[in-house]
Amino acid sequence: MLENEQLFPTDIPKCEKIEYIPLLPQYKKLINIQWIIFFAILLIGGGTFYFLNGNVGIIWAAGVFAAWGIWLMLKLILIQIGFDRKGYAVREHDIHYRTGYFTLKETSVPIKRIQHIEIRQGLISKMFGLAKLRVFTAGESTMDLSIKGISLETAEDFKALLTQKMMIHD
Amino acid sequence: MTDYSLDKPQRQSAIGSLFFFIYSVQKFLRGFWPLILIYVFKGDASRALNSITAYVGIGLALIMIVNSVLSWFNFYFFIKDDEFVVRKGYLKRIVVAVPMEKIVSVNIKQGIFHQILGVVQLEIDSAGSKTKEVSIPAISIQIAKELQSRLQQGQSKLTDEEATEENGVEEQPVKKGILWLSFEDLLRVGITQNHLRGLALVAAFGYNIFQGIKDVFKSEVDMVAEKTGSFIEHSNTIVLTVVVVFLVIVSFLISMIDTWLRYYDFKMVRQKNTFTISSGLLKKKTITIPFSRVQMVIQSINPLQKWAGISTCKIKQANSTEQTNNKDQIFTTVPGCNSSHFNEISKSLLGNWQENEFLELKPDKVFAYRIFFISLLVFGLPIAAISLAEIKVLWGLTGVIPLAFLIAWGIYRRRKFAINRDYAKVHSGFVGTDLSVLELYKVQTVRIKQTIFQRRKNTANIRLVMAGGSISFKYIPMSDAIRIKDYILYQVISTPKDWM
């Protein structure tokens, strides 16, 4: 354990105290539907292959479909239990996003280091009134922070707020 | 200083047109070499020469010559209103203007043709996110030097003031040699290289050539391959030893040649707040490293280097564009440093990082167990799979356990994380040792991650993402990870310094 209060002064702001704001419940529906669509496409593809190609044994086919079914069930269960862990927080000088049930991840970006901000809205997410806010830094793009499952309005508010804060730092 | 009137538009030296020609020939060969190979070997060359192909060839050559002369004639460069301007193109006019203060580095390169003709190539790297780097294919060395100093003057005007107050370093002499590799040093660098890499290079290169030849001479290659196969099957241990010794010698030679090609006449010079590195036998390269752009310094020592008392120092810079092709610029290798060289280089780049003590952290033992099990799987599974066909192979499994143990122990023993007020460093490696050092205030993003395997003992990984790569403290107590994150965020937010 680290024991040195000189280095980590006690009065610096603590991330433990951050209260994460949960994502919109529509977002849970959206990811559920996205996964179901994905599995439906797999199922249609697999089924077509099975009926066109007469050589595949019924046992093999049943096994594969059962495995797919179990995978889908697990995935859906994971989405339900993991959803409450997802959340974001914006402090005065930094922005945080948290996700994951089995693997927890917490990403933090100081607003000073943000290079630009992007709002994205896909076709399906538009129907749900959802948007994604992505924050770009000079670091590796895989490590960038993106807040999914917020309303377009919130995303635009955040963008305005963050842009304003970024200008102060410059 | 001689005036080459850089302020008026001027062309490259007349030899420049030759380079445009060489480039177009190179491009042509690169695009069509399999076709040419087939034509030369399979077609009846003497008959074909009389026919249309000859006219096509002459036509192509003419077009290339005219194109290169026109390209050269219409290529101008000059300095105007604190901007470096290149004007080029005859069918399509292109004007590229780079503001002087945006210029990050000016690099001089000299390939084999350049050396023969006594000219150099100049490349300008700028900090703008979208501007592409500018390159002048062929100018005389005097003009290049003149341009380099003019451009770097304009750039240092701006960075000088902030840099001096930033580091508070005592006034440095204008130019200071840091490292120069003599013949002996080069020999040492060559001997201590990772020879496995040379072997891999041979394998990859050999395979490529093999595939290329195979396309043309299919039947012959198949026959040779068959013969080799039966030869290996019937050979005994003596032949095998000969083969192994041969491979060792070849990989050693490859490393030597590689070292000479890359690091011949290696010179590293400090000039104010930049390093300038030049090296290369056939292709002479000059790279400048502005200190402010450096994000991480890595020292790696393999067992051979440890024995010879040298190390390799790697300098990671922030990439100026999102997709930069210039790998040397982002990741520069300084070979053959002894410890005082490394100290001087790292001190110039990072400040006095060895001055204050570090708090050290070891990863949890679970980290070692994980590596052990992963290595067991990686080596064990293929062996198990092969043994389904050939039961004898199953004996190999007995070797897998000690091997996995060695790997896990080697990695775990060397892994150590350390942090103090201003710096973080990671010791890692498996056979050799690596040391990565970075300045905390340059961190871009912090990510804490806890996998399900870390839950029971409540350990976590913390990754510090920089503009050029990242480092990770693995399997440290969650409470420490959180404190480190809090501290780094605090440090980044409160620093007045810019990361670049």
Side-chain angles (χ1 to χ4, degrees):
Chain A
M1 293 288 268
L2 290 172
E3 289 298 345
N4 192 333
E5 294 307 316
Q6 199 64 38
L7 173 58
F8 298 117
T10 37
D11 57 332
I12 64 169
K14 296 249 189 305
C15 286
E16 277 171 341
K17 297 203 178 117
I18 293 175
E19 278 186 31
Y20 281 90
I21 305 166
L23 304 180
L24 291 177
Q26 294 101 292
Y27 184 57
K28 186 153 81 174
K29 268 189 216 155
L30 175 74
I31 37 183
N32 279 327
I33 287 172
Q34 277 175 337
W35 276 101
I36 290 170
I37 290 175
F38 174 68
F39 274 93
I41 291 169
L42 270 186
L43 195 71
I44 292 166
T48 330
F49 179 78
Y50 173 71
F51 285 114
L52 289 182
N53 183 339
N55 303 330
V56 184
I58 185 88
I59 300 166
W60 280 102
V64 168
F65 285 129
W68 267 342
I70 292 167
W71 183 23
L72 175 62
M73 288 309 291
L74 284 178
K75 191 72 217 171
L76 290 179
I77 291 169
L78 213 62
I79 290 170
Q80 317 315 314
I81 56 174
F83 190 76
D84 295 338
R85 293 242 359 136
K86 287 185 198 291
Y88 62 93
V90 180
R91 295 198 296 185
E92 203 179 335
H93 297 292
D94 45 25
I95 171 168
H96 309 259
Y97 186 72
R98 179 176 75 172
T99 181
Y101 185 75
F102 284 121
T103 300
L104 312 177
K105 268 187 219 161
E106 271 178 24
T107 311
S108 309
V109 176
I111 292 169
K112 235 176 153 173
R113 293 282 176 265
I114 298 176
Q115 289 198 316
H116 68 276
I117 299 164
E118 187 185 273
I119 296 176
R120 277 207 177 185
Q121 199 176 31
L123 191 67
I124 308 177
S125 47
K126 201 170 183 174
M127 293 195 298
F128 283 86
L130 291 168
K132 176 173 137 185
L133 182 91
R134 189 164 172 203
V135 162
F136 291 83
T137 67
E140 300 154 69
S141 56
T142 48
M143 287 291 153
D144 278 335
L145 185 151
S146 32
I147 303 177
K148 300 157 200 161
I150 50 175
S151 71
L152 186 61
E153 214 184 350
T154 320
E156 268 162 3
D157 284 351
F158 272 152
K159 191 179 172 186
L161 180 78
L162 293 174
T163 315
Q164 192 196 349
K165 282 178 183 287
M166 281 155 64
M167 300 232 293
I168 296 168
H169 283 301
D170 282 342
Chain B
M1 230 187 263
T2 349
D3 187 37
Y4 290 97
S5 66
L6 293 170
D7 303 301
K8 278 186 227 127
Q10 65 167 309
R11 293 195 188 97
Q12 305 173 70
S13 52
I15 301 169
S17 60
L18 203 62
F19 275 92
F20 283 111
F21 181 66
I22 291 172
Y23 288 150
S24 43
V25 170
Q26 271 179 351
K27 230 186 254 171
F28 177 75
L29 287 180
R30 219 167 280 155
F32 294 100
W33 72 268
L35 219 91
I36 297 165
L37 206 69
I38 290 172
Y39 174 74
V40 172
F41 284 104
K42 282 277 148 131
D44 189 348
S46 56
R47 184 179 52 97
L49 261 184
N50 306 327
S51 67
I52 305 168
T53 34
Y55 293 109
V56 172
I58 293 168
L60 263 173
L62 269 177
I63 290 172
M64 282 200 257
I65 290 169
V66 171
N67 172 49
S68 30
V69 171
L70 278 175
S71 303
W72 164 76
F73 192 76
N74 287 292
F75 190 108
Y76 293 97
F77 60 92
F78 54 98
I79 295 170
K80 192 188 170 195
D81 301 335
D82 280 336
E83 279 187 331
F84 179 70
V85 187
V86 166
R87 215 168 61 202
K88 61 183 175 183
Y90 54 95
L91 290 177
K92 197 170 76 179
R93 266 284 147 96
I94 300 171
V95 180
V96 186
V98 186
M100 299 270 261
E101 78 254 21
K102 289 260 169 154
I103 291 172
V104 176
S105 59
V106 184
N107 300 325
I108 296 175
K109 278 187 183 173
Q110 203 178 24
I112 177 104
F113 289 119
H114 288 94
Q115 271 179 18
I116 294 168
L117 298 166
V119 288
V120 295
Q121 181 183 358
L122 193 86
E123 276 180 2
I124 290 161
D125 192 16
S126 65
S129 54
K130 289 291 183 304
T131 31
K132 268 193 90 183
E133 54 191 48
V134 186
S135 157
I136 306 173
I139 46 176
S140 77
I141 190 121
Q142 290 94 333
I143 297 181
K145 283 268 161 68
E146 178 80 21
L147 257 175
Q148 195 176 30
S149 72
R150 276 283 294 273
L151 294 176
Q152 275 169 353
Q153 263 168 31
Q155 151 208 18
S156 57
K157 244 186 250 161
L158 290 139
T159 49
D160 254 9
E161 297 148 27
E162 42 178 304
T164 40
E165 73 178 297
E166 219 175 71
N167 296 331
V169 195
E170 69 272 30
E171 200 52 48
Q172 292 278 344
V174 183
K175 239 181 184 178
K176 189 182 173 219
I178 302 279
L179 177 64
W180 178 74
L181 294 184
S182 64
F183 180 81
E184 256 171 73
D185 295 328
L186 269 181
L187 209 62
R188 214 171 287 146
V189 170
I191 291 170
T192 58
Q193 265 200 14
N194 182 358
H195 299 298
L196 289 177
R197 205 182 60 99
L199 200 63
L201 216 76
V202 175
F205 195 62
Y207 182 77
N208 263 338
I209 291 182
F210 177 74
Q211 286 298 326
I213 295 173
K214 202 175 159 186
D215 289 341
V216 184
F217 310 98
K218 196 163 178 343
S219 55
E220 289 92 330
V221 169
D222 281 347
M223 201 180 72
V224 173
E226 208 172 275
K227 269 192 184 165
T228 329
S230 71
F231 171 72
I232 288 171
E233 250 173 54
H234 297 290
S235 60
N236 51 28
T237 35
I238 300 167
V239 179
L240 265 173
T241 344
V242 171
V243 169
V244 167
V245 168
F246 176 73
L247 283 179
V248 167
I249 292 171
V250 165
S251 56
F252 181 79
L253 278 178
I254 292 276
S255 311
M256 277 310 202
I257 293 168
D258 180 55
T259 305
W260 245 264
L261 285 178
R262 277 200 289 168
Y263 301 129
Y264 177 77
D265 196 23
F266 185 97
K267 269 188 212 123
M268 183 168 187
V269 176
R270 176 179 176 157
Q271 192 172 15
K272 280 184 182 162
N273 289 315
T274 54
F275 280 140
T276 307
I277 296 174
S278 63
S279 74
L281 186 60
L282 296 178
K283 198 169 186 165
K284 197 149 181 72
K285 267 193 285 192
T286 308
I287 296 166
T288 45
I289 305 173
F291 292 173
S292 60
R293 299 237 311 167
V294 173
Q295 305 289 311
M296 208 188 292
V297 178
I298 302 163
Q299 181 189 36
S300 47
I301 307 173
N302 68 30
L304 286 173
Q305 288 171 328
K306 197 176 174 185
W307 164 77
I310 57 171
S311 65
T312 307
C313 176
K314 294 165 191 160
I315 300 166
K316 272 193 181 177
Q317 291 186 69
N319 18 337
S320 56
T321 48
E322 275 176 28
Q323 276 107 26
T324 313
N325 300 321
N326 199 345
K327 227 177 123 192
D328 302 308
Q329 193 59 47
I330 306 167
F331 195 79
T332 316
T333 308
V334 183
C337 303
N338 62 27
S339 54
S340 74
H341 292 137
F342 174 72
N343 284 345
E344 184 166 10
I345 293 168
S346 62
K347 221 167 155 177
S348 319
L349 296 173
L350 302 167
N352 203 351
W353 63 279
Q354 282 148 316
E355 187 182 47
N356 292 316
E357 257 185 74
F358 280 84
L359 286 173
E360 289 185 345
L361 285 161
K362 274 300 269 187
D364 193 89
K365 291 225 167 54
V366 179
F367 177 59
Y369 303 149
R370 284 272 288 164
I371 299 171
F372 178 72
F373 285 118
I374 289 170
S375 334
L376 267 190
L377 285 180
V378 166
F379 295 104
L381 277 182
I383 291 182
I386 297 168
S387 70
L388 287 180
E390 184 81 44
I391 196 74
K392 263 194 276 177
V393 182
L394 208 57
W395 282 104
L397 278 182
T398 52
V400 168
I401 294 166
L403 182 68
F405 178 78
L406 269 181
I407 292 173
W409 185 67
I411 292 176
Y412 180 76
R413 198 170 59 103
R414 287 174 177 81
R415 194 66 61 99
K416 203 164 65 183
F417 315 114
I419 184 166
N420 70 14
R421 198 179 288 269
D422 301 305
Y423 302 98
K425 56 177 189 170
V426 172
H427 295 264
S428 61
F430 161 42
V431 181
T433 53
D434 287 318
L435 167 66
S436 316
V437 190
L438 56 83
E439 284 172 286
L440 292 182
Y441 80 88
K442 287 183 176 174
V443 167
Q444 301 280 336
T445 301
V446 184
R447 174 175 284 180
I448 292 184
K449 188 172 150 189
Q450 185 181 49
T451 66
I452 195 156
F453 302 104
Q454 296 173 319
R455 199 70 54 82
R456 200 172 58 86
K457 289 188 126 178
N458 203 24
T459 59
N461 301 348
I462 180 166
R463 183 177 283 273
L464 316 182
V465 182
M466 313 295 288
S470 62
I471 63 168
S472 188
F473 289 13
K474 287 189 167 142
Y475 288 80
I476 61 170
M478 185 59 135
S479 55
D480 286 347
I482 290 171
R483 286 166 81 186
I484 288 171
K485 174 167 118 174
D486 283 342
Y487 180 68
I488 290 173
L489 287 176
Y490 163 78
Q491 175 75 292
V492 172
I493 289 161
S494 56
T495 184
K497 294 185 260 185
D498 211 359
W499 63 274
M500 192 174 109

